[in-house]
Amino acid sequence: MPGIAGTAGYNEAADVLVRQYETLTFEDVHADVLHLLPDAPARVLDVGAGSGRDAAALARLGHRVVAVEPARELRERARRLHADTPVTWIDDALPELEAVHRGGRRFDLVLLSAVWMHLDGDERARAMKSVASLLAPGGRAVLTLRHGPVPPARRMFDVPVAETVALAEVNGLHVVHRGTRGDLLGRPGLRWSVLGLQPF
């Protein structure tokens, strides 16, 4: 899908997507990895934060949250929707996360929920290196991998779990959780893999 950006379609559909994302709770979406959350207060990076649902929920739990969202319309709606929660919003994107790296921070949790599928093979390799370097000692990364049909005008790839695990290991991370689930929005043919990664 050359020429199509990972954010393609998200700005145009921002209102619909925010309503859709906000119908689910953080606890429902991430039920199988809640045991991987660090104790509060921890430093959390939410990459591809969308409507801000997860970032806001983590901030309410007492974490210090940095939310990255490259789609401007989504980011601005999220800021307004969750204006009452202390989240730091950044315009940045995988694979490099240059603005995050410039901040010089390391994180106890990096959340990558429904974003990895927007990266091609080369970008995934660079992104894993970037994410691994942002983890504090003992920190964890949680990724969800999408499997199923691609919506029109979106840039998405079906990412094998085995490839993701291999990339993690090359970058000094090992799997501490592996799971699968259906699509909570009931979209036909769609399922998700969930990985928890931690430095060796």
Side-chain angles (χ1 to χ4, degrees), residues 94 110 112-121 123-129 131-132 141-147 157-179 192-198 200:
L94 291 166
V110 177
L112 302 116
S113 182
V115 295
W116 208 248
M117 73 275 192
H118 294 302
L119 307 174
D120 65 24
E123 291 167 336
R124 293 193 296 270
R126 288 153 50 203
M128 189 66 79
K129 180 178 181 181
V131 168
V142 172
L143 293 84
T144 58
L145 308 179
R146 185 186 194 277
H147 312 290
F157 305 89
D158 194 353
V159 182
V161 173
E163 175 207 277
T164 310
V165 171
L167 273 180
E169 290 176 348
V170 166
N171 287 280
L173 306 176
H174 71 285
V175 176
V176 294
H177 174 85
R178 186 185 310 211
W192 299 84
S193 298
V194 185
L195 292 174
L197 306 172
Q198 187 171 321
F200 284 108

Side-chain angles (χ1 to χ4, degrees), residues 10-20 74 77 80:
Y10 284 88
N11 282 312
E12 297 81 356
D15 287 331
V16 171
L17 291 172
V18 167
R19 286 195 298 271
Q20 185 182 72
L74 273 180
R77 282 162 177 76
R80 293 195 298 270

Side-chain angles (χ1 to χ4, degrees), residues 1 3-13 17 70-71 118 151-156:
M1 284 163 266
I4 302 178
T7 56
Y10 284 88
N11 282 312
E12 297 81 356
L17 291 172
H118 294 302
R154 295 280 175 85
R155 182 186 195 255
M156 292 184 186

